[in-house]
Amino acid sequence: EPVVSLAEVLAENEELEKEARAVLGGSDHERCSYSQVGAGPPGAGTPPAAPEARSGVAPQGAVKRQALYACGTCTPPGGEPAGICLACSYECHGSHRLFELYTKRNFRCDCGNSKFKNLQCKLFPEKSKVNSGNKYNDNFYGLYCTCKRPYPDPEDEIPDEMIQCIVCEDWFHGRHLGAIPPESGDFHEMVCQACMNHCHFLWAYASQLAVPPLTKVNSLEDEGIVLKAEESEEQKKEIKKESGVEHQEVKEEKPMEQFNEPSTSSGSDFLNIYGYCSKFLQKFPVEIAKTTSESLFCKLKELRSKPFLKKDTATFWPSNWRSKLCTCEDCLKMYSELEVQFLTDECDTVLAYENKGTSDQETERRDPLMDTLNSMNRVQQVELICEYNDLKTELTDYLRRFADEGTVVKREDIQHFFEEFQSRKRQRTNRVQYYCS
């Protein structure tokens, strides 16, 4: 049998707990994510609600991001895909064959709706028959990547890392992405080949933001396609028009300085304010021009005006790349049409979800020793602390011998230690204590 040290076991266990806290920490393990507490009872004209709804629980719509599962027992291949939340995976599908889907965005729990023929949700039975806003893929049948294989794959002997696409949220083998993934610490998010073709505008950003940047151009046939967007006549007219408006505004500001003097006319207050604003604009022309240009400036148009590389591969992105996407009116409209508005939301990332889950869990975690101490009187607290310190000291000295000798700690060694510790404890408690009167 392979030999591992106690330190390795503890380190592995801590890593597994940390991963579980990150993935599950942001999801409620007691209440179905279809509902939320404190929303109040339904308004007039709605059908009678379930007991949960009458007690202050009401549907909350799609959850921004949550841990999800698919039930292979309730929705076998050939049936309609469905997703269930963390709480329902415990309460309603505890003994079923579940597929862990990690996290997905904008999803409503399907448990007990029309997709489940013989099952009713125990936590929130009053659900809509169908959640039309949910998006499904082969993950809900336990299949992943372009190869449509399960994970782990019993027939795949090649060790390979699975990476999730942040757009379609499918998982892909590193060798099936069309490009060699960088080191795991060098990138934070990945966009698969199909989603890069769907979100074609990302190729322009990849020249500067991707890891590594797609800027090197050798052979067009081998490397990809060089694209360069020239300004159309309409764009040129638009730019001239904008520059003309700005020039006109500057010209009109100068004559208004004469109204900055005190006046007894009925419009004196307005004119004084206008004159003050004119002087302000003259005093800070650079800052005002900068603010105006930023509001009209489109980062994507600038990137598209330069040569960039387009390849049939996935792309890899650093942690802060979303903040550098253009948010002008035209780009926001494009994101909406492509249904990728979430790309400009840095809180949408899995990393943000994991960090929040971890911090929430750390806040809620309580030391069982401190909880026990708080339930005792002062004499019992002192006795418990003394016993705890004795156990800690003796166990440390006992394990140090194994570390010094380089030997493995076995199960029988730990059992032997606690047997001896209990024996010594009984000897101490059986001694007769004498007190001075």
Side-chain angles (χ1 to χ4, degrees):
E1 294 182 0
V3 176
V4 294
S5 67
L6 181 62
E8 291 174 331
V9 173
L10 293 175
E12 182 180 0
N13 185 63
E14 176 61 28
E15 187 63 28
L16 291 173
E17 287 186 1
K18 182 179 179 181
E19 183 178 346
R21 290 196 300 270
V23 176
L24 306 180
S27 299
D28 195 328
H29 66 281
E30 295 181 344
R31 291 185 293 271
C32 176
S33 65
Y34 194 95
S35 62
Q36 66 177 357
V37 175
T46 58
E52 292 88 346
R54 289 195 294 269
S55 62
V57 180
Q60 67 168 350
V63 177
K64 189 170 185 178
R65 182 169 291 281
Q66 63 176 313
L68 285 180
Y69 300 82
C71 182
T73 304
C74 297
T75 55
E80 293 186 81
I84 58 176
C85 68
L86 176 64
C88 287
S89 73
Y90 294 152
E91 186 67 24
C92 308
H93 304 264
S95 60
H96 296 180
R97 185 168 61 96
L98 298 176
F99 302 116
E100 185 177 1
L101 303 178
Y102 197 50
T103 71
K104 291 189 182 294
R105 68 170 65 87
N106 299 332
F107 200 92
R108 298 183 77 179
C109 179
D110 288 321
C111 179
N113 66 12
S114 61
K115 296 187 175 186
F116 295 81
K117 306 302 181 183
N118 301 315
L119 181 137
Q120 186 180 44
C121 181
K122 300 177 182 177
L123 298 176
F124 198 88
E126 299 295 325
K127 290 187 173 80
S128 300
K129 291 183 178 181
V130 177
N131 294 316
S132 58
N134 288 354
K135 293 184 178 181
Y136 307 90
N137 57 20
D138 288 321
N139 295 175
F140 291 83
Y141 298 114
L143 303 176
Y144 307 89
C145 191
T146 55
C147 59
K148 307 302 179 187
R149 297 293 302 170
Y151 182 84
D153 189 350
E155 299 179 8
D156 186 5
E157 298 180 355
I158 303 175
D160 199 354
E161 182 182 15
M162 295 287 282
I163 308 174
Q164 187 181 34
C165 171
I166 57 129
V167 178
C168 66
E169 298 190 297
D170 194 359
W171 291 83
F172 296 84
H173 294 100
R175 64 184 186 273
H176 294 160
L177 291 172
I180 300 176
E183 294 294 328
S184 58
D186 295 339
F187 74 99
H188 284 259
E189 295 187 307
M190 181 273 289
V191 180
C192 71
Q193 295 160 283
C195 290
M196 283 300 298
N197 293 330
H198 175 67
C199 304
H200 49 82
F201 65 92
L202 287 178
W203 288 114
Y205 287 101
S207 63
Q208 292 188 357
L209 302 180
V211 181
L214 299 181
T215 54
K216 185 179 179 181
V217 181
N218 293 328
S219 170
L220 299 186
E221 295 180 357
D222 298 335
E223 294 274 351
I225 307 171
V226 177
L227 303 178
K228 183 173 181 180
E230 297 183 355
E231 292 177 353
S232 63
E233 291 299 324
E234 293 182 0
Q235 290 176 336
K236 291 179 180 179
K237 290 179 181 179
E238 202 173 58
I239 293 173
K240 289 180 180 179
K241 185 179 179 181
E242 289 174 357
S243 61
V245 171
E246 291 176 359
H247 185 65
Q248 184 179 359
E249 287 177 354
V250 174
K251 283 185 176 180
E252 289 178 352
E253 288 166 3
K254 291 183 178 179
M256 295 307 296
E257 288 181 356
Q258 60 183 328
F259 296 107
N260 195 32
E261 298 299 326
S263 174
T264 57
S265 63
S266 59
S268 60
D269 293 338
F270 169 76
L271 296 176
N272 286 336
I273 293 173
Y274 196 95
Y276 174 81
C277 292
S278 299
K279 285 193 173 183
F280 178 83
L281 290 171
Q282 291 177 4
K283 187 177 180 181
F284 303 103
V286 178
E287 287 77 3
I288 299 299
K290 182 179 178 182
T291 304
T292 305
S293 62
E294 286 180 351
S295 62
L296 299 174
F297 177 70
C298 178
K299 299 178 185 177
L300 182 58
K301 286 182 180 179
E302 183 186 26
L303 291 173
R304 280 178 168 171
S305 67
K306 303 174 183 178
F308 62 88
L309 187 64
K310 182 178 180 182
K311 302 175 67 176
D312 188 22
T313 64
T315 52
F316 306 89
W317 305 82
S319 59
N320 62 342
W321 74 281
R322 295 194 187 205
S323 64
K324 295 181 172 58
L325 295 179
C326 183
T327 55
C328 72
E329 185 178 347
D330 290 339
C331 285
L332 290 177
K333 182 180 179 182
M334 176 183 64
Y335 302 149
S336 179
E337 292 173 350
L338 296 174
E339 297 183 344
V340 292
Q341 305 95 314
F342 53 82
L343 286 179
T344 59
D345 182 7
E346 293 188 78
C347 294
D348 167 80
T349 64
V350 173
L351 180 62
Y353 170 88
E354 290 182 347
N355 289 339
K356 183 179 184 303
T358 302
S359 61
D360 290 347
Q361 286 281 309
E362 291 294 341
T363 302
E364 294 176 1
R365 289 177 74 189
R366 303 182 65 179
D367 189 342
L369 177 61
M370 295 305 298
D371 289 342
T372 304
L373 283 172
N374 291 334
S375 65
M376 296 179 171
N377 60 43
R378 187 169 183 79
V379 175
Q380 292 172 324
Q381 288 176 351
V382 173
E383 291 179 349
L384 178 60
I385 292 173
C386 291
E387 292 290 342
Y388 174 80
N389 288 333
D390 288 344
L391 173 62
K392 181 180 178 181
T393 301
E394 294 192 28
L395 181 59
T396 301
D397 293 340
Y398 181 76
L399 294 177
R400 185 177 290 114
R401 298 202 302 267
F402 291 88
D404 294 340
E405 297 171 3
T407 56
V408 178
V409 181
K410 300 178 182 178
R411 181 188 297 271
E412 49 267 29
D413 296 325
I414 299 299
Q415 292 176 341
H416 177 69
F417 167 79
F418 280 103
E419 288 173 358
E420 288 192 345
F421 181 79
Q422 290 292 342
S423 177
R424 290 192 296 271
K425 181 180 177 181
R426 282 193 295 269
Q427 291 176 7
R428 289 196 300 268
T429 56
N430 289 336
R431 292 174 183 171
V432 178
Q433 297 182 356
Y434 297 92
Y435 300 93
C436 295
S437 59

